[in-house]
């Protein structure tokens, strides 16, 4: 019978799961996750980067602006999966009493 050679590829280091790291009040990135052998990304022109969709909650209560804002909300959910909410103090009061 032919002998099978087993190659040892090493082992991985024990790494805490992300949920455990999130429970800690970390103020810096743990050293094991810092890659000093790589150059940091350099972005010279941020105007070409995509912008996170902003949904104006006050516009959602306006008859004139609601359809446009709902389209933005639909697009944000479908293509981004998240959005930023914009709401002024006046808008918050208006929504509360509506």
């Amino acid at each position: 019978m032919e002998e099978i050679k087993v190659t040892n590829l090493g082992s991985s280091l024990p790494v805490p799961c992300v949920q455990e790291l999130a429970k800690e009040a970390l103020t810096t990135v743990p050293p094991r996750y810092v890659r000093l052998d790589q150059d940091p990304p350099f972005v010279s022109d941020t105007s070409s980067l995509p912008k996170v969709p902003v949904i104006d909650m006050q516009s959602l209560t306006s008859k004139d602006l609601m359809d446009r804002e709902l389209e933005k909300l639909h697009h944000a959910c479908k293509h981004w999966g998240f959005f930023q909410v914009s709401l002024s103090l006046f808008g918050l009061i208006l929504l509360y009493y509506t």
Side-chain angles (χ1 to χ4, degrees), residues 52-57 72-73 76-77 80-86:
V52 173
V54 178
I55 305 301
D56 182 6
M57 297 302 287
K72 285 174 52 180
L73 179 60
C77 292
W80 284 77
F82 60 91
F83 52 88
Q84 179 179 342
V85 174
S86 171

Side-chain angles (χ1 to χ4, degrees), residues 14-76:
V15 178
C17 69
V18 175
Q19 290 84 357
E20 291 301 317
L21 285 175
K23 290 178 185 176
E24 299 176 24
L26 298 176
T27 57
T28 60
V29 176
R32 72 172 301 113
Y33 298 105
V34 176
R35 298 288 308 263
L36 298 175
D37 58 333
Q38 294 180 347
D39 291 331
F42 177 74
V43 180
S44 61
D45 181 17
T46 59
S47 64
S48 64
L49 296 175
K51 305 287 186 228
V52 173
V54 178
I55 305 301
D56 182 6
M57 297 302 287
Q58 191 170 345
S59 294
L60 288 174
T61 63
S62 167
K63 291 181 183 180
D64 298 331
L65 303 173
M66 183 186 301
D67 289 340
R68 181 175 173 278
E69 208 62 27
L70 283 173
E71 286 178 22
K72 285 174 52 180
L73 179 60
H74 175 76
H75 182 269

